[in-house]
Amino acid sequence: MATQQPAARPANPRFSSGPCAKPPTFDVSKLADAALGRSHRAAVGKDKLKAAIEGTREVLGIPADYKIGIVPASDTGAVEMALWSLLGQRKVEMLAWESFGSGWVTDVVKQLKIEAEVKTADYGQIVDLASVDFNNDVVFTWNGTTAGVRVPNGDWIADDRDGLTICDATSAAFAMDLPWDKLDVTTFSWQKVLGGEAAHGMLILSPRAVERLEGYTPAWPLPKIFRLTKGGKLIDGIFTGATINTPSMLAVEDYLFALDWARSVGGLQGLIARADANAQAVFDFCDANDWITNLAEDDATRSNTSVCLKFTDARIQDGAAFAKAVAKRLEAENIALDIGAYRDAPAGLRIWCGGTVETLDIQAMLPWLAWAFDTEIAAQSQAA
């Protein structure tokens, strides 16, 4: 029984799944060069926005002929722009195995009222990827942030597809290898794997997606904030730094810092290695303790960023109350902040393991998790 509090503590107790931990070298002074009080359309603003776009291309290895745009409303805004602007030409397959994927189903089926085949799986599982028909447009999350379940790779996506693939990659970009030739539309937000500030999203379009935009007009009206074309042509300025609405130049500076930090740790492969090491520390802990396990049922689909866990001890009487109590104990000790499961997910914990988190902090936190578990089990027994 780990009834004694461990001696070591994490240097940084921030394990939130969004907004996520800042890079380890972050300091507010790093943002001193932000173009504050300047127009984002002035030369200095345009240069910084373009640097953010091209830095994204460089670190993620995005092909030169793909368009990258900075858009409002975080990843949600980017996904909504794609759904409203691109869908409706053909049938859609919606793949969902957690809450955000389910949210996109609601938008397509109930709001846009598009003919769709909806394929769902319970938390911890994934849909039958081999059954997807790529004659249809396909909408999916690469990594289910609230379930900790990700697609294992891109092999299931057809090379000769007629439909478009629209991928919400917000907790995957910068932590997983994304096969760009398989993805026609990809979205993410700054607040996830690089620990950037919230409210800004990224929209990445393949040439096939641009062709759809320029050759198809949806039946429904598009609000200004969603419009990607004018007169049947792509508004190219969106993808060179002329944003649809005013961005935060402080947030832009923060993202530029995060990209520089990403380069300093080895770029994409360095970031993936850091996330893998963090997640493996948690996986090893679960293997060593029979009272906790990964929510993802198949090891091949376990996330290396939003690692979701569930308690399995038979003595636990109320799973939701128990998980909240464990998370509360760790927060009270300033050991782990914001690690409760997402509100729609099964009871448990969610530990962010993206590259901005240090493995030493994960390793220091885990013995405290054992302490919190034992302490709460004892408290439950005394209350009985």
Side-chain angles (χ1 to χ4, degrees):
M1 298 285 286
T3 54
Q4 297 299 314
Q5 290 186 346
R9 291 173 172 266
N12 185 354
R14 293 169 178 82
F15 302 106
S16 163
S17 291
C20 301
K22 308 294 287 183
T25 59
F26 175 79
D27 185 89
V28 173
S29 65
K30 305 286 188 180
L31 310 183
D33 193 43
L36 303 183
R38 295 298 309 276
S39 170
H40 60 295
R41 294 188 175 91
V44 62
K46 288 181 179 178
D47 287 346
K48 287 182 178 293
L49 289 162
K50 187 174 182 179
I53 289 170
E54 292 310 317
T56 301
R57 187 185 307 279
E58 174 199 345
V59 175
L60 289 179
I62 299 170
D65 59 350
Y66 278 49
K67 302 288 187 178
I68 304 172
I70 298 169
V71 301
S74 195
D75 178 64
T76 300
V79 174
E80 295 286 11
M81 290 177 76
L83 300 183
W84 284 70
S85 300
L86 289 160
L87 296 184
Q89 186 192 61
R90 59 179 63 225
K91 186 178 175 182
V92 184
E93 289 201 27
M94 304 295 300
L95 314 182
W97 50 87
E98 50 90 53
S99 59
F100 287 105
S102 297
W104 309 142
V105 171
T106 297
D107 287 351
V108 170
V109 175
K110 294 187 177 181
Q111 299 299 321
L112 294 174
K113 303 184 187 306
I114 296 173
E115 181 188 3
E117 180 173 351
V118 179
K119 297 181 177 179
T120 63
D122 292 335
Y123 279 83
Q125 301 175 5
I126 198 167
V127 301
D128 179 9
L129 298 174
S131 70
V132 176
D133 182 356
F134 288 97
N135 289 314
N136 305 323
D137 292 333
V138 179
V139 180
F140 69 101
T141 57
W142 191 274
N143 181 81
T145 310
T146 65
V149 174
R150 66 175 179 181
V151 297
N153 51 55
D155 295 349
W156 58 283
I157 301 174
D159 292 325
D160 58 349
R161 60 192 177 275
D162 291 321
L164 297 179
T165 52
I166 299 177
C167 174
D168 173 357
T170 198
S171 55
F174 297 106
M176 304 173 196
D177 250 327
L178 300 177
W180 296 107
D181 61 322
K182 304 277 191 173
L183 304 177
D184 295 305
V185 181
T186 309
T187 68
F188 68 88
S189 65
W190 293 356
Q191 65 166 322
K192 290 293 185 181
V193 180
L194 286 190
E197 292 304 297
H200 296 78
M202 300 296 280
L203 178 65
I204 303 167
L205 305 177
S206 74
R208 297 182 74 247
V210 173
E211 182 180 6
R212 169 76 65 86
L213 282 167
E214 294 185 336
Y216 162 71
T217 301
W220 43 83
L222 288 176
K224 178 182 178 181
I225 209 165
F226 284 179
R227 292 175 205 156
L228 295 168
T229 61
K230 184 176 182 179
K233 291 294 182 183
L234 190 73
I235 303 174
D236 205 56
I238 295 172
F239 303 94
T240 58
T243 53
I244 293 173
N245 69 336
T246 306
S248 163
M249 296 312 296
L250 189 62
V252 170
E253 195 69 23
D254 182 74
Y255 184 56
L256 290 173
F257 161 76
L259 288 169
D260 282 341
W261 173 80
R263 296 182 185 99
S264 76
V265 298
L268 178 59
Q269 294 309 311
L271 291 168
I272 292 173
R274 288 174 64 91
D276 284 348
N278 291 337
Q280 191 61 51
V282 180
F283 301 158
D284 291 345
F285 178 82
C286 291
D287 288 344
N289 293 278
D290 60 5
W291 45 266
I292 194 167
T293 191
N294 202 297
L295 183 60
E297 297 178 4
D298 182 352
D299 290 356
T301 68
R302 297 188 305 192
S303 173
N304 67 343
T305 56
S306 55
V307 177
C308 296
L309 307 175
K310 60 181 179 180
F311 293 104
T312 57
D313 195 290
R315 293 170 293 177
I316 297 173
Q317 299 162 9
D318 183 331
F322 185 88
K324 288 179 180 178
V326 168
K328 186 176 180 180
R329 287 184 186 277
L330 293 172
E331 180 171 352
E333 294 291 339
N334 201 38
I335 295 298
L337 307 178
D338 308 319
I339 65 166
Y342 190 72
R343 61 180 179 268
D344 295 334
L349 304 176
R350 181 173 58 159
I351 300 170
W352 184 257
C353 291
T356 58
V357 173
E358 297 278 31
T359 304
L360 288 175
D361 286 334
I362 294 279
Q363 293 170 336
M365 177 272 295
L366 291 170
W368 282 89
L369 174 53
W371 166 81
F373 169 81
D374 286 339
T375 303
E376 191 56 34
I377 284 288
Q380 178 183 276
S381 298
Q382 291 173 0

